[in-house]
Amino acid sequence: MTINEIAKEAGVSIGTVDRVLHNRGRVSQETVEKVNTIVARYGYQPNPIARQLKRGKPYVIGALLPTLNSEYGYWNMQYQGMCEAAKELAAFNVELEFAEFDRMKTGDCLEKGRSLLAKNVDSLIIAPVSQTDMLQLAVELGDKPYVFVDSSLPDASPVAIVVQNAFKAGYCAGRMMYMASGSPAKGCFASIQFHTAYNLKERSRGFSAYFEAEHRNSFTVRDFYCKDGNLEVFLERVLSECPDLSGIFVTNDAVHQVAEFFSSRPQLKKVTLIGYDLVPQNVECIKQGSVACVISQGPQNQGSLAVNTLYRRQLMGRETEEVIQIPIDIYFKENVL
C-alpha cells in the first residue's frame, strides 16, 4: 500500500498522512486514529530508498581518519573500504565526504571534524584515536549519528562500533607468543605501545592477562611506551630493563621497525616478535621470518561495514548491531600472501 492509497481510503490529503506517519504538525486525534488503523490493517512500510531518492539531496557520510599515508598505509586501507562501499551505494544517492587529521597534533582531529560538520554531512565515521579531541567533537555532534572504526572509546555514544575486541586480541597475542617462543618455562616478555589510543592499551592489557591467567609467576611481562620518537634509544632501554627478554608484542603496525633494529644484532635473533596489521612492511618481515606472526583487523572490511551500517540504519530504517566484531585473524609465513 502507498501513501496515496492510505490518503484515499482515509479521505484525507497526502500531506496529512505524511504528518501522521512522521508525527509532525497538527492533526486531529480522530484523523490520527483513522490513518493508523489503515496502516496497521495493511501493514504499510515506508520505502526509505524511494524517500531518499525523492528528496533530491544526497545522503552524505563524513569520514574522519588519521592521515592516510601515515602508519604505513593502514588508514588508507580503511578509506579504500569506505570508498568501495560508497561506490556501491551511489545509485541510492549516498556520498562520502572525507577529512584526514594529524593524530600527533593536538586539536587537529577536532578542527577537521568541525570542517566536516560545516559541510552539513548527515552522519560520520570516525577513528577515535585522539581521545580528548574526539570526546569534545562528540558533544558538538549533537544528535548526528556516528560510527567508530578501529577502536571504541569510553564515555562516547556512537550508534555502532566496527572494531576488533582489543583485549581478546591481546590475550590471543600472548598465547601465540608463548607458543612461538618454544613454550619456555620462564622469561620476560615486553608489550610496546607507540600511541596512547584506547584499543592499544586494551591489547597490551590482554597480552599481560594471558600470562597472568595461564602462567602465573613464571614470566615477567613489562609494558613500554615509546613517547620520544627515538626508536633506537627506546629499544635499547627495553633491552636493558629486560635482560632475559624472550619476546616483544608490538600493539600496532610498527613491528617491522623493531625487526629492522634486531636485524643488525645477531644475539637478538631468538627474541620472538609479534605485531599487528598486514601492511606491506610487516608482510615482508613475516615472509623473511623476522616476525613470527601478525594479527590482522581487516581495515578495508571495517571501512566497508561502517558505511553499510549507516546506510542500513539511517536510510533503510533497519536495526543494526551496536558492536560489529571484526575477527581476530592471525597470519604466519605459511598463510600470508
Side-chain angles (χ1 to χ4, degrees), residues 166-234:
F167 178 85
K168 288 185 177 180
Y171 197 100
C172 184
R175 188 180 299 279
M176 299 310 302
M177 179 67 76
Y178 178 70
M179 292 189 291
S181 300
S183 304
K186 60 181 181 178
C188 178
F189 294 103
S191 174
I192 292 178
Q193 296 181 55
F194 287 92
H195 301 289
T196 58
Y198 175 77
N199 59 335
L200 303 188
K201 295 177 181 178
E202 283 295 283
R203 290 171 190 168
S204 184
R205 188 171 71 87
F207 183 77
S208 297
Y210 165 76
F211 287 100
E212 174 65 21
E214 305 291 340
H215 306 284
R216 182 175 298 180
N217 301 322
S218 298
F219 298 93
T220 300
V221 180
R222 296 284 306 278
D223 294 333
F224 292 91
Y225 172 50
C226 181
K227 57 184 177 181
D228 57 12
N230 191 322
L231 181 64
E232 185 171 345
V233 171
F234 168 70

Side-chain angles (χ1 to χ4, degrees), residues 6 20 43 48 50 61 66 68 86 105 111 132 134 208 239-240 264 272 276 288-289 304 308 320:
I6 294 173
V20 172
I61 298 174
L68 295 187
K105 182 180 177 182
E111 179 184 339
T132 302
M134 185 56 243
S208 297
L239 293 173
S240 67
S264 60
T272 301
Y276 239 89
Q288 294 174 357
S304 178
N308 279 290
T320 57

Side-chain angles (χ1 to χ4, degrees), residues 66-313:
T67 308
L68 295 187
N69 62 6
S70 66
E71 298 182 54
Y72 320 107
Y74 170 80
W75 296 110
N76 189 53
M77 296 178 188
Q78 286 263 8
Y79 179 59
Q80 289 306 313
M82 296 176 193
C83 289
E84 291 168 8
K87 184 177 180 180
E88 293 176 355
L89 296 173
F92 304 114
N93 222 9
V94 174
E95 294 182 0
L96 186 67
E97 186 74 43
F98 173 68
E100 54 187 334
F101 64 91
D102 184 350
R103 70 183 296 178
M104 305 305 292
K105 182 180 177 182
T106 301
D108 199 47
C109 175
L110 181 58
E111 179 184 339
K112 298 302 171 52
R114 286 170 173 167
S115 72
L116 278 179
L117 292 177
K119 295 180 180 179
N120 296 316
V121 296
D122 296 290
S123 57
L124 281 91
I125 301 170
I126 306 168
V129 295
S130 298
Q131 299 180 46
T132 302
D133 282 6
M134 185 56 243
L135 290 175
Q136 176 59 41
L137 182 60
V139 174
E140 298 184 18
L141 288 174
D143 295 331
K144 201 175 291 292
Y146 60 97
V147 169
F148 282 159
V149 292
D150 184 69
S151 176
S152 56
L153 182 62
D155 302 320
S157 301
V159 296
I161 303 171
V162 184
V163 67
Q164 192 177 77
N165 186 307
F167 178 85
K168 288 185 177 180
Y171 197 100
C172 184
R175 188 180 299 279
M176 299 310 302
M177 179 67 76
Y178 178 70
M179 292 189 291
S181 300
S183 304
K186 60 181 181 178
C188 178
F189 294 103
S191 174
I192 292 178
Q193 296 181 55
F194 287 92
H195 301 289
T196 58
Y198 175 77
N199 59 335
L200 303 188
K201 295 177 181 178
E202 283 295 283
R203 290 171 190 168
S204 184
R205 188 171 71 87
F207 183 77
S208 297
Y210 165 76
F211 287 100
E212 174 65 21
E214 305 291 340
H215 306 284
R216 182 175 298 180
N217 301 322
S218 298
F219 298 93
T220 300
V221 180
R222 296 284 306 278
D223 294 333
F224 292 91
Y225 172 50
C226 181
K227 57 184 177 181
D228 57 12
N230 191 322
L231 181 64
E232 185 171 345
V233 171
F234 168 70
L235 290 176
E236 291 289 3
R237 179 169 70 87
V238 172
L239 293 173
S240 67
E241 294 184 20
C242 303
D244 56 345
L245 186 67
S246 297
I248 293 180
F249 170 47
V250 181
T251 58
N252 72 340
D253 50 17
V255 67
H256 64 274
Q257 288 190 308
V258 180
E260 183 178 354
F261 173 84
F262 279 19
S263 65
S264 60
R265 294 162 174 78
Q267 71 275 21
L268 298 177
K269 286 186 177 181
K270 292 184 178 181
V271 177
T272 301
L273 299 182
I274 291 178
Y276 239 89
D277 298 317
L278 284 177
V279 298
Q281 297 91 330
N282 288 348
V283 170
E284 189 61 30
C285 285
I286 295 174
K287 291 179 177 179
Q288 294 174 357
S290 57
V291 171
C293 65
V294 162
I295 295 174
S296 172
Q297 52 184 333
Q300 285 182 273
N301 189 33
Q302 284 189 49
S304 178
L305 285 170
V307 170
N308 279 290
T309 295
L310 283 171
Y311 167 70
R312 291 195 300 270
R313 179 186 176 89

Side-chain angles (χ1 to χ4, degrees), residues 29-43:
Q29 185 61 35
E30 180 183 356
T31 299
V32 170
E33 292 176 359
K34 184 185 296 185
V35 170
N36 284 336
T37 298
I38 295 170
V39 168
R41 182 188 309 153
Y42 293 101

Side-chain angles (χ1 to χ4, degrees), residues 54-69:
K54 184 177 179 181
R55 82 171 189 164
K57 177 182 178 298
Y59 184 86
V60 182
I61 298 174
L64 183 61
L65 298 175
T67 308
L68 295 187
N69 62 6

